[in-house]
Amino acid sequence: MLSKKEKELIANVWERLTPVADDIGADALLRMFTTFPGSKSYFSHLDLRPRSPHLKTRGKRIVLAIAEGAKDIDHLAVALAPLQTLHAYRLRIDPSNFKHFSHCMLVTLACYLGDRFTPVMHAAMDKFLSAFAAVLAEKFR
Amino acid sequence: MVEWTDSEREYINTIFSTLDYDDIGPKALARCLIVYPWTQRYFGGFGNLYNADAIMANPMIAAHGTKILHGMDRALKNMDDIKNTYATLSELHSEKLHVDPDNFRLLADCLTVVIAGKMTVKEFTPDMQAAWRKFLSVVVSALGRQYH
């Protein structure tokens, strides 16, 4: 599904974004909570207002997990095994929310990267995030 | 009928006022054809779509992208009745063009990404994005309404 070139592109982008994982993650989460308010239902225990430290902490954790997965896309299930169990048996998030988050992450990337977020990069990133979400949801049923 | 708050109307008008139709339209359509290649099925007569570079340089695609964006002007000018504004266009897409209405959502998402890329993080705020998505959802729904 992803070519060698696309995998390198993705790994490269996420490595460059790791230092600002909290900003990127918080931005994408806030966009998701604002555009898809149903997604907030899973975070009723957190402060989801703009600039909340919870957004940055949770956002950073998510982005670092994505960046880790990007290092070895061929073995996503290995990297994501603990998160698969968490999302399937404890969090039980409806998988449609993964799509919502992926879309908002693409918007965040477009805002931050501008012209550098080319159609080719967008296509690769969309494929990667879809694959990531699919692997994350593998243990759901 | 869709209810719009004043701030939603303002956000949507702001976005349209910043749009360079001849730039954003072509970019959004080209991006859709590249990111979701199955959408190329509706553009068989549009010349070279062989790869991303060809699609981005294709003048027929560019012209059509501009046309699509101008078509959205009608929704902007009739925000309180987008449903009926697009009745004929919906019928065209269903009966003549045979476009799967799920594809409207794909183009809408690509348009959002292109607009986001033009604006900064501080300009294309989450609230603006939410209003914009609501607008696009209404447009997409109206375009799919005449399918049967």
Side-chain angles (χ1 to χ4, degrees):
Chain A
M1 193 170 65
L2 281 157
S3 69
K4 187 164 169 260
K5 213 167 149 194
E6 284 175 320
K7 287 178 199 172
E8 280 167 10
L9 190 62
I10 290 161
N12 185 270
V13 167
W14 287 109
E15 200 188 322
R16 282 191 288 129
L17 291 175
T18 300
V20 288
D22 52 357
D23 289 332
I24 298 282
D27 190 71
L29 277 177
L30 187 59
R31 287 181 188 282
M32 181 179 70
F33 294 141
T34 314
T35 309
F36 306 102
S39 60
K40 289 193 290 187
S41 62
Y42 299 101
F43 297 90
S44 52
H45 56 295
L46 297 181
D47 174 5
L48 302 181
R49 289 170 301 177
R51 287 176 297 282
S52 146
H54 288 172
L55 278 182
K56 286 210 165 185
T57 322
R58 195 53 55 103
K60 182 177 177 177
R61 200 185 296 175
I62 294 172
V63 168
L64 290 182
I66 294 173
E68 197 57 36
K71 288 180 188 164
D72 191 3
I73 296 173
D74 290 332
H75 300 102
L76 271 178
V78 173
L80 291 179
L83 287 173
Q84 284 178 322
T85 307
L86 176 74
H87 283 78
Y89 301 115
R90 229 188 84 201
L91 302 179
R92 287 176 292 187
I93 294 178
D94 188 290
S96 61
N97 292 283
F98 299 152
K99 275 202 184 110
H100 296 330
F101 182 74
S102 295
H103 171 72
C104 291
M105 179 55 79
L106 292 174
V107 172
T108 296
L109 291 174
C111 283
Y112 274 81
L113 299 174
D115 285 341
R116 287 172 297 162
F117 194 58
T118 61
V120 169
M121 189 186 280
H122 178 167
M125 195 59 72
D126 192 33
K127 288 198 282 183
F128 167 64
L129 291 175
S130 300
F132 192 96
V135 171
L136 202 58
E138 252 174 24
K139 293 195 168 124
F140 275 45
R141 56 178 172 174
Chain B
M1 206 185 84
V2 182
E3 300 275 340
W4 301 99
T5 64
D6 288 341
S7 66
E8 283 171 340
R9 288 181 195 271
E10 206 185 310
Y11 281 135
I12 292 155
N13 275 290
T14 301
I15 290 171
F16 270 95
S17 68
T18 64
L19 287 185
D20 175 356
Y21 287 64
D22 295 321
D23 178 47
I24 300 293
K27 283 191 170 135
L29 182 58
R31 192 168 282 248
C32 185
L33 297 176
I34 293 165
V35 177
Y36 308 109
W38 55 91
T39 57
Q40 292 171 27
R41 76 191 299 284
Y42 303 110
F43 297 88
F46 278 64
N48 186 2
L49 304 179
Y50 187 65
N51 55 28
D53 288 334
I55 291 169
M56 288 191 285
N58 186 314
M60 290 172 75
I61 293 295
H64 199 72
T66 306
K67 188 174 170 183
I68 290 172
L69 208 50
H70 278 297
M72 289 181 65
D73 273 345
R74 291 163 56 196
L76 175 70
K77 293 190 173 86
N78 296 281
M79 272 177 69
D80 293 317
D81 195 13
I82 294 175
K83 195 168 68 183
N84 286 317
T85 301
Y86 280 145
T88 318
L89 209 52
S90 175
E91 216 179 296
L92 173 80
H93 282 78
S94 165
E95 302 304 306
K96 211 171 140 216
L97 304 176
H98 305 293
V99 177
D100 179 347
D102 285 348
N103 289 283
F104 302 146
R105 166 54 58 207
L106 300 181
L107 179 58
D109 284 351
C110 286
L111 178 58
T112 302
V113 168
V114 169
I115 288 169
K118 278 286 163 188
M119 295 190 174
T120 64
V121 154
K122 285 199 164 64
E123 287 168 338
F124 196 58
T125 62
D127 284 335
M128 182 180 268
Q129 181 184 341
W132 179 243
R133 188 177 178 93
K134 181 176 165 181
F135 174 76
L136 288 177
S137 297
V138 175
V139 167
V140 163
S141 168
L143 280 173
R145 232 176 153 260
Q146 301 304 322
Y147 282 64
H148 59 88

